[in-house]
Amino acid sequence: MFSPRPASLIFIPLALIGGGLAHSASAAPVITNVKMTPGLLPPTGGVITVTATITDTVAVTGASVRITGNTAAAPNNASFVMSNGGSGTTYSANVPFGTLNTTAAPFNWSATVTATDASTTQSATVAVLAGQQNDNQPPAISGITLTPATLPFSGGQITVTATVVDPFRRPTTVGGKVTMNGGNLGDIALSNGGVGNIYTGTFQSVANNTTNTTDTYAVNLTAKNDLGFISSVAGGKSVQDNLTAAPVITSASVTPSTLPATGGTIKISAAVNDPSGRKITKVLAYLPQTAYALSNGGSGNIYTLTLQVSAQSNPITITGSVAATNDVGLVGTATVNGAQGFANGSLPVLIGLTANTPALSPAFATHGAANLALTINGQNFVGGSSVLFNGTPIPASSVIATRIVVVIPAAMLATAGAYSVSVNNPAPGGSSNSVVFNVR
């Protein structure tokens, strides 16, 4: 019995079937890591770089990105070619974005990346990864300063400086209100000269002619950008002095400082300045009980007065002070020859101070006359002055600094003769020189 032979296996190469081996289908490109950088643009726009990693089993022949957004503005629905620079799997494209001139909702941008390989297979990946801000913020105002920080009472120009920044827009108007002591003084406009974020403007302060209150200046500034957004900030301070400086008497003298008993001419001089530039309205010398008005002849700061002092029974020393007043009533004083006010004695009472004014009026009387009103001319008469007629005190009927009127009783005029007349002032005054009144 014969055993059958096992069948032989015959292998036929598949390559011989149908003329060869068919290609298997290629997988589509794989797109990953899609990014948009930066993820947020300002309203002024800029460039977003779209990047993606693209891999494939065969060569990638092309890649692009299409931008879409919630606006019709460019680059909506525009496509941009992506490149890997000739090698690698990272593809990128730079996409420009314009200015967003709106105060409405911000923009959202999407990037759709498409890739094609050698077998013309396409794939796409969508990523909502970037946005663009709207501009709903006003300009920012800071650093408000007023220069100078202090002013003299007479005022002057004040410069206002402020920093105005809008990160996205252009400030179109910067200005505001100037206030003085909280009240509105006027408007001010600031400018940056077309460059930078430092804005300046000036205004003129008014003179402060008060003697008890300083003035404080400040500003309320407003900045507006080209979309109409406005910000307001108050700030800055400049203080203007009130008028506290009195006139200054830099020198004051009476020459000569002493006179002999025979009398003579004295000259009172004072150099007067007002540090605030005010007008000097009055300069008086007190020697010391009577005020003498000094004059500068209409110009200059030297004020003088010349007086003729009649003969004295004893030598006298001229002492006293000078006071200067400006046009807002502030007074400055200085001593004359070391004396202050009435502290160092008084100027003796004088009769017959000047040659042009008679010492007595009338100059004589007729014996047997009725009661006689006698006028005595001189200086340094005060309230309480009394007249000695031939040694007999007679009260004055009227007294001013340069003139006394006294009534001489008829009984004192009954006999002809030469009678002495003098004036007594109350302490610390004293007696004047004596003059002769003739009764004929």
Side-chain angles (χ1 to χ4, degrees), residues 108-347:
N108 294 316
W109 298 105
S110 301
T112 301
V113 177
T114 300
T116 305
D117 63 10
S119 62
T120 67
T121 302
Q122 290 186 336
S123 64
T125 297
V126 177
V128 180
L129 297 172
Q132 186 172 2
Q133 293 173 314
N134 61 326
D135 187 4
N136 57 5
Q137 298 298 317
I141 304 172
S142 63
I144 300 175
T145 59
L146 271 64
T147 307
T150 59
L151 285 169
F153 86 95
S154 55
Q157 181 173 280
I158 296 177
T159 298
V160 179
T161 304
T163 300
V164 181
V165 177
D166 191 312
F168 309 126
R169 310 303 310 177
R170 177 175 59 87
T172 56
T173 304
V174 179
K177 301 290 185 181
V178 177
T179 64
M180 184 181 74
N181 303 330
N184 183 28
L185 187 64
D187 297 330
I188 186 171
L190 277 65
S191 170
N192 68 343
V195 180
N197 58 5
I198 304 299
Y199 288 73
T200 61
T202 61
F203 68 92
Q204 191 74 22
S205 69
V206 297
N208 181 359
N209 286 325
T210 66
T211 58
N212 57 359
T213 304
T214 59
D215 288 336
T216 299
Y217 293 90
V219 290
N220 294 319
L221 293 184
T222 298
K224 180 180 179 180
N225 66 18
D226 55 355
L227 287 180
F229 282 103
I230 297 174
S231 63
S232 295
V233 175
K237 183 173 76 171
S238 183
V239 178
Q240 183 173 341
D241 289 338
N242 57 316
L243 188 59
T244 58
V248 175
I249 302 170
T250 56
S251 65
S253 63
V254 176
T255 54
S257 59
T258 59
L259 286 174
T262 54
T265 299
I266 60 173
K267 183 177 182 180
I268 308 170
S269 298
V272 182
N273 294 286
D274 193 297
S276 301
R278 305 301 307 184
K279 180 181 178 182
I280 303 298
T281 57
K282 182 170 57 179
V283 178
L284 297 177
Y286 297 89
L287 299 179
Q289 291 182 336
T290 300
Y292 300 87
L294 279 63
S295 171
N296 67 345
S299 63
N301 69 329
I302 304 300
Y303 291 75
T304 62
L305 176 66
T306 300
L307 296 175
Q308 183 69 35
V309 180
S310 62
Q312 305 295 307
S313 58
N314 296 296
I316 62 173
T317 299
I318 310 298
T319 61
S321 65
V322 174
T325 306
N326 65 18
D327 56 359
V328 290
L330 294 176
V331 180
T333 62
T335 60
V336 175
N337 295 337
Q340 179 66 48
F342 304 114
N344 289 32
S346 62
L347 186 66

Side-chain angles (χ1 to χ4, degrees), residues 86-97:
S87 63
T89 59
T90 300
Y91 288 74
S92 65
N94 292 325
V95 181
F97 290 78

